[in-house]
Amino acid sequence: MAYQVVNPYTEKIIQTYPLASAAEVADKLDVAADFYNRQKQVPVEERAAQLQLVAESLLANSAELAQTATLNMGKLSKEARGEIKLCAKLAQYYASTGASLLEPKPYIYGGSRQALLQQDAIGIVLSIEPWNFPYSQVMRVFAPNFLVGNPVVLKHASIVAGCAAHFEKVLLQAGIEPGAFQNLFVSYDQIATILADKRVQGVALTGSEAAGRQIAALAGQNLVKSTMELGGNDVFAVLNDADIDLAVQDAAAARLRNAGQVCTSAKRYIVQQDVAADFIAGIQATFQNQVLGDPMAATTTLAPLASKGASDQLQQQLDQALAHGATALVAGGQVAGMGNFFAPAILTDITPDNPAFYQEFFGPVAQVYVVPDDQALIKLANDSNFGLAGAVYSKDTTHAHEVASQLETGQVFINQPSGAYPELPFGGVKNSGYGREMSDLGLYEFTNQKIVVFK
Ligand code: NAP
């Protein structure tokens, strides 16, 4: 089936892109393999300089790229521009620090003999990405791999094919070498063929748990290195000694950003008894005051969901949660009329036998749990199939750190909502996946850590 782009606000089809033929895919893999072979003789500093040009080109095309994102998946204009800035920062981070991070590391063995650990390129990396951050998710994989010398082929989410095409165009305008980055509009079956090609040595997937299981299995069959950035059910912990005004403001932003379609959204508010009433009152007011509307308009605070399918699925989860005994503190739900609008909802009284207890809600639906103390908070937080990120709020940083240290997640933020920073590792544990993106760790995911041993 062709890739089809539908505007989530008008629900009109914008464009369709045909699937690539087997011959087109084979040609692109040949071009990618040529890039890999050529780069072995090219110093990393040259690719770092090209990455700097990529950053500049992204910023110069920011308004147009942002508009494409809004038209493809409904993101608010200002959020889309913020995403382009993050992409540029990622490119700049690797452009400025990458060469030193790739310096060979000396080892001593057998008393005083020397060895050097090199970070060599390994081959083509397949990047399979979701629609919710249609540029920055791609950049997280492209920037480090380009620097190393690994060509990247992208299978983007079909609903944001326009973003994929626009991103590739801007990269080529910036002057990156042919074969360094190529879009593949391919089917799931074609993905299996691509992963079986021996020149493909890595696959980075960001997406759902279901997709993770499929792609990790294919990677395993082909003995190809993989990273999995999957879903989350992140905790936003509010301790009795928290600054409640700050917690309310950040909790709402962390749940409603990108219309709630963020892997690290604050999906479960776990609040201690003494501050629960104030926190809940604040959150209710903020959720009820959201302005739903045209994502291009500056006055809109909550965008439509990315697709009709996403909205239907969220409504189904909400209905199921209520049918199993949850209480709605704010009712929310699908909004009739034009656009995939979903009014924000807040649920409480969710017991472990309610399916909602373990599910990820990928949209503006928050859950509230009230607990007596730290131990109850930590136990509830860790009773999750996911382990991506989280946040802990307390005026006492030592106290917040004590709680943060006991959370089973890849990232915890203190007195701030979780975010993405090029300098910091990003990734999860449990069903949130494995591997890390961004930072030095992201640079080494798809390298041959080769030891050269001197006599
Ligand atoms: P999705 O349905 O899993 O899709 C993600 C990507 O995988 C898309 O490109 C999709 O292509 C592709 N895909 C899905 N199944 C596949 C298969 N069997 N074979 C080959 N490709 C396959 O996820 P989504 O709904 O777009 O994104 C939402 C999920 O991503 C949420 O769970 C969210 O938490 C997670 N996410 C995680 C992170 C993170 O960093 N941990 C970041 C963002 C999002 P099609 O579009 O063609 O189906």
Side-chain angles (χ1 to χ4, degrees), residues 3 128-133 137 140 155-159 186-189 191 205-212 214-215 218 228-232 261-264 267 360 362 386 388 426-428 432 437:
Y3 282 29
I128 306 179
E129 299 302 330
W131 43 263
N132 63 338
F133 288 94
Q137 290 299 144
R140 286 174 184 218
K155 183 262 174 274
H156 215 327
S158 50
I159 65 169
V186 287
S187 67
Y188 293 179
D189 289 344
I191 290 290
L205 169 89
T206 299
S208 59
E209 208 183 321
Q214 294 280 335
I215 299 302
L218 276 177
M228 295 287 142
E229 296 284 349
L230 309 178
Q261 304 163 116
V262 184
C263 50
T264 53
K267 291 170 188 143
E360 178 185 38
F362 213 58
F386 295 106
L388 192 53
F426 187 105
S432 294
E437 289 184 339

Side-chain angles (χ1 to χ4, degrees), residues 253-288:
R255 189 63 193 101
L256 300 178
R257 181 168 83 94
N258 212 35
Q261 304 163 116
V262 184
C263 50
T264 53
S265 282
K267 291 170 188 143
R268 295 182 292 156
Y269 301 141
I270 307 187
V271 191
Q272 291 187 340
Q273 201 96 53
D274 294 357
V275 290
D278 287 348
F279 178 81
I280 289 170
I283 286 293
Q284 279 176 304
T286 317
F287 272 53
Q288 280 159 343

Side-chain angles (χ1 to χ4, degrees), residues 385-439:
N385 298 331
F386 295 106
L388 192 53
V392 180
Y393 279 68
S394 164
K395 285 182 196 149
D396 177 351
T397 308
T398 308
H399 182 198
H401 190 188
E402 269 166 26
V403 171
S405 297
Q406 295 176 71
L407 298 182
E408 297 166 350
T409 62
Q411 311 149 70
V412 192
F413 289 75
I414 311 268
N415 290 325
Q416 57 181 316
S418 60
Y421 299 91
E423 305 85 356
L424 301 181
F426 187 105
V429 294
K430 302 185 184 172
N431 293 358
S432 294
Y434 50 81
R436 293 294 179 266
E437 289 184 339
M438 305 193 287
S439 77

Side-chain angles (χ1 to χ4, degrees), residues 42-66:
V42 176
V44 62
E45 287 75 13
E46 282 191 26
R47 290 188 295 278
Q50 284 187 36
L51 262 187
Q52 180 56 37
L53 296 178
V54 165
E56 288 163 20
S57 185
L58 285 163
L59 292 174
N61 288 281
S62 173
E64 298 80 7
L65 283 162

Side-chain angles (χ1 to χ4, degrees), residues 115-234:
L116 276 180
L117 185 78
Q118 295 176 190
Q119 304 284 345
D120 289 358
I122 55 170
I124 301 172
V125 173
L126 169 64
S127 173
I128 306 179
E129 299 302 330
W131 43 263
N132 63 338
F133 288 94
Y135 302 121
S136 60
Q137 290 299 144
V138 179
M139 187 52 110
R140 286 174 184 218
V141 178
F142 168 70
N145 282 294
F146 176 73
L147 197 79
V148 165
N150 291 329
V152 170
V153 289
L154 171 67
K155 183 262 174 274
H156 215 327
S158 50
I159 65 169
V160 291
C163 295
H166 203 157
F167 190 77
E168 183 178 27
K169 189 171 146 200
V170 171
L171 258 52
L172 290 171
Q173 277 170 0
I176 63 158
E177 293 246 353
F181 177 87
Q182 298 173 91
N183 270 322
L184 300 174
F185 293 145
V186 287
S187 67
Y188 293 179
D189 289 344
Q190 287 172 295
I191 290 290
T193 311
I194 292 164
L195 274 172
D197 188 307
K198 64 182 183 195
R199 296 167 300 178
V200 177
Q201 285 296 316
V203 56
L205 169 89
T206 299
S208 59
E209 208 183 321
R213 290 182 197 281
Q214 294 280 335
I215 299 302
L218 276 177
Q221 277 165 27
N222 291 290
L223 292 179
V224 161
K225 173 82 192 284
S226 61
T227 56
M228 295 287 142
E229 296 284 349
L230 309 178
N233 205 5
D234 288 2

